[in-house]
Amino acid sequence: MQLPALYLKRGEDTRLRGGHLWVFSNEVDVQRSPLSGFEVGQACAIVDSRDKPIGVGYVNPNSLICARLVNRGLEHALDKSLIVHRLKVALALRERLFGEPYYRLVFGESDGLPGLTVDRFGDVIVAQTTTAGMERMIEAITEAIVKVIKPRQLWWKNDSSARSMEGLPEYADLGVGEPASEPMIVREAGLEFECDPVGGQKTGWFYDQRGNRDCLEHLVKGKRVLDMFSYLGGWGLRAAAYGAGEVVCVDASQPAVDLITRNIERNGLADRVSAVRADAFDYLKALREQRERFDVVILDPPAFVKRKKDLAEGRIAYRRLNELGMQALERDGILITCSCSYHMPRTVLLDGVQQGARHLDRQAQLLWNLQQGPDHPIHPAIVETEYLKGFVLRILPA
């Protein structure tokens, strides 16, 4: 292979040799390999200061993370064949884990394809590229997905805010197949949920919480359940299917509430589940004023801490939210609280819950720690791949 070399400064190969895949711009020996000499998304050989190649990756000279390692050694090019191989390896894990083809098929760095996310909804694929290197390979990725999965449809949901950091435009497009009149469906625990591959959040569904939703089986039978930030009703409808007596699903988005309503009807749960459009903080404050209580309160908000500098403000928001959630609980209630903010440490989230409980003169018992599901595997050398954290807590009077 004839590839331009990206040379690292002395000692800057340690993290890569330890398993990480990112190269930061201040780690590059710009005397030997000026970043300005590379095209955006261009394939390269990443080489240490002693001229020993580490592997093949791609470059974005305009980004803080200026390169990502995709394959160790120089034996394989960044092409369709490599992507096909990585897809097959990822597929083998998911087919071992799940009985039906509904899962996250590719989780970026953890599956050896940094900058690529692929979700599977039966014979429909929704994929997303977040880096210039993967965007440049989008034709090869499409061909590889078609070869390995043979989907009826492949949607490119390239509207993530992360793309702006790579200088990429945002768009959503049908890459393979024909538009269909029937909705896209995800199956989970015997239920069916209608999703929107273009207008929905992320890639349409939050597979990362699937295993966490399983814990509802032991907590909700005959209970009154409040599902905040419900999105498409994943938590709430699962609670109803496990025997909850009443479930209220709340979301600020009218399209989401419309989909929740259709999902309620699709699964025959209209007698026990209702959907409400409201701001979460306003709704919880109204419950407090009305002294309305639930047996189980589920708080699964979007990320409040998207950047490290947002942590101080974000931790206050999480504490306020959890305190309001506890005020909507019966005296002996269950609080399920989550954060998908990578920059929000698990210990800080739990500390905020504890502070809120003490402020309300209540005590908390931690029952379960929650994390992302196994179709979002954590790369041990890349702490950034572990982002979802949560707790199931029993909240009692002091």
Side-chain angles (χ1 to χ4, degrees):
M1 284 187 295
Q2 295 297 316
L3 290 174
L6 182 77
Y7 289 98
L8 302 181
K9 295 176 182 176
R10 183 179 179 182
E12 298 293 1
D13 60 313
T14 303
R15 185 163 37 80
L16 290 179
R17 296 197 185 280
H20 212 293
L21 303 179
W22 297 355
V23 177
F24 291 92
S25 57
N26 63 354
E27 297 170 339
V28 175
D29 186 342
V30 293
Q31 300 300 316
R32 299 184 71 184
S33 52
L35 286 170
S36 59
F38 292 90
E39 298 174 12
V40 174
Q42 184 177 9
C44 70
I46 300 175
V47 183
D48 70 15
S49 62
R50 297 162 294 175
D51 294 342
K52 293 183 178 179
I54 299 171
V56 178
Y58 56 76
V59 181
N60 186 344
N62 304 321
S63 176
L64 175 63
I65 303 173
C66 70
R68 286 174 167 84
L69 180 66
V70 182
N71 197 61
R72 295 182 185 276
L74 302 181
E75 293 78 20
H76 301 286
L78 300 190
D79 57 14
K80 174 185 168 183
S81 295
L82 178 62
I83 299 167
V84 166
H85 172 68
R86 294 284 163 83
L87 285 175
K88 288 180 176 179
V89 173
L91 180 62
L93 171 64
R94 277 67 178 184
E95 289 184 336
R96 187 186 308 175
L97 294 170
F98 305 108
E100 294 184 291
Y102 299 91
Y103 39 68
R104 173 148 293 181
L105 175 59
V106 173
F107 182 50
E109 281 80 352
S110 294
D111 286 301
L113 292 168
L116 179 65
T117 298
V118 180
D119 278 357
R120 186 174 185 181
F121 300 85
D123 60 359
V124 177
I125 295 291
V126 182
Q128 186 175 86
T129 59
T130 54
T131 60
M134 281 296 164
E135 182 77 4
R136 189 161 169 158
M137 298 177 66
I138 203 163
E139 185 175 333
I141 296 168
T142 298
E143 293 174 358
I145 290 173
V146 168
K147 181 175 181 177
V148 175
I149 304 297
K150 300 177 177 62
R152 174 174 56 87
Q153 289 181 329
L154 165 59
W155 290 91
W156 284 106
K157 185 70 161 45
N158 284 336
D159 59 358
S160 167
S161 59
R163 288 173 61 89
S164 63
M165 294 185 288
E166 291 273 316
L168 298 172
E170 296 182 14
Y171 66 92
D173 186 30
L174 181 60
V176 172
E178 298 295 329
S181 56
E182 68 273 14
M184 187 176 78
I185 298 297
V186 59
R187 290 178 54 83
E188 181 176 306
L191 300 177
E192 291 188 350
F193 297 86
E194 180 179 335
C195 306
D196 183 352
V198 175
Q201 297 179 29
K202 303 296 183 181
T203 49
W205 184 250
F206 291 97
Y207 281 125
D208 53 2
Q209 290 280 23
R210 170 174 33 197
N212 295 334
R213 290 189 278 260
D214 292 345
C215 73
L216 293 169
E217 180 179 5
H218 310 284
L219 302 170
V220 299
K221 189 173 181 61
K223 303 297 185 181
R224 193 170 188 231
V225 177
L226 176 62
D227 176 16
M228 302 299 303
F229 308 95
S230 188
Y231 183 40
L232 302 182
W235 286 95
L237 270 67
R238 290 284 304 273
Y242 283 134
E246 179 189 355
V247 179
V248 178
C249 297
V250 180
D251 200 278
S253 163
Q254 187 60 54
V257 170
D258 292 341
L259 280 172
I260 295 169
T261 302
R262 290 205 289 274
N263 290 332
I264 291 169
E265 295 170 353
R266 175 182 288 274
N267 292 283
L269 297 170
D271 60 327
R272 283 178 288 150
V273 186
S274 59
V276 177
R277 181 188 179 189
D279 173 82
F281 288 90
D282 292 343
Y283 191 82
L284 289 170
K285 289 175 184 176
L287 291 180
R288 179 183 63 192
E289 292 168 4
Q290 297 161 11
R291 298 183 181 276
E292 192 169 350
R293 301 288 185 267
F294 290 80
D295 301 294
V296 179
V297 171
I298 302 160
L299 305 174
D300 186 14
F304 290 161
V305 186
K306 294 185 178 181
R307 297 165 299 181
K308 190 173 183 179
K309 67 179 184 178
D310 299 330
L311 177 58
E313 185 177 343
R315 68 187 298 173
I316 294 171
Y318 280 112
R319 176 182 165 172
R320 282 182 56 229
L321 177 64
N322 283 299
E323 196 166 317
L324 285 167
M326 284 184 272
Q327 289 174 313
L329 276 175
E330 293 286 2
R331 287 173 57 81
D332 184 350
I334 296 293
L335 177 70
I336 300 175
T337 185
C338 304
S339 168
C340 59
S341 303
Y342 160 70
H343 294 291
M344 182 69 180
R346 180 179 291 271
T347 53
V348 175
L349 180 65
L350 183 59
D351 185 57
V353 174
Q354 172 64 9
Q355 290 177 11
R358 295 308 307 134
H359 185 249
L360 299 174
D361 199 25
R362 302 186 75 168
Q363 60 176 321
Q365 294 177 327
L366 176 57
L367 308 182
W368 282 287
N369 281 289
L370 305 179
Q371 69 174 42
Q372 64 218 56
D375 52 350
H376 295 64
I378 296 166
H379 193 308
I382 307 177
V383 296
E384 293 85 355
T385 61
E386 183 177 6
Y387 66 95
L388 182 63
K389 68 278 297 182
F391 309 103
V392 179
L393 304 117
R394 185 187 187 194
I395 307 297
L396 296 161

